[in-house]
Structure formats: C-alpha cells, structure tokens
Amino acid sequence: DSYGCICIIDHIAEKMSYAEFEEANTFGAMRMVPGERSGVFRENARGKALAATSQEVRDAAASACLMPTGN
C-alpha cells in the first residue's frame, strides 16, 4: 500500500493498534497464497473480521486525507 501523507497513518493508528494492523496485514497477505495450507488464513473468522476492519479504516483514512493521492 502507498500512503498519501502521514495523516493517513495517524488516522489508522487512532483506529487500530499496531498489533491489529500487523495481524490484519499478515492475514491479508497470506489469504492470497494459493494452496490448501493457506486455507487457514482464508477461512479464519478473526482474519476476515480484521481484514474488513482494516479496509474500512484505510478507506476512511484515505477519504479524510486532504492531500491528493493521484488515484
């Protein structure tokens, strides 16, 4: 992910602990790994919840940022 400015990181930090952010990123990355063994990441209720929360927080942070992102 790329961030437009520090305000996005600050917004994320206000809504999620670093541990939650790290865990959400790990689940997100591992869900993309093909194969049976990564199924534990794709089908994990906590991972799904963290991924959804993380995406909501990132979207809200991007919307709140006043810097243009170039998207």
Side-chain angles (χ1 to χ4, degrees):
D1 291 321
S2 63
Y3 302 102
C5 66
I6 195 69
C7 72
I8 292 178
I9 296 170
D10 289 342
H11 184 86
I12 293 170
E14 289 174 7
K15 305 294 182 187
M16 298 179 81
S17 70
Y18 180 77
E20 290 169 327
F21 181 79
E22 182 80 7
E23 189 175 3
N25 281 338
T26 300
F27 272 102
M30 295 305 293
R31 289 175 70 162
M32 300 299 141
V33 174
E36 184 178 314
R37 291 185 183 195
S38 62
V40 69
F41 294 97
R42 287 190 297 273
E43 299 167 13
N44 184 291
R46 177 162 172 76
K48 288 179 182 180
L50 279 171
T53 299
S54 177
Q55 190 60 53
E56 289 171 11
V57 169
R58 289 171 193 243
D59 291 346
S63 294
C65 182
L66 301 175
M67 297 292 295
T69 61
N71 293 342

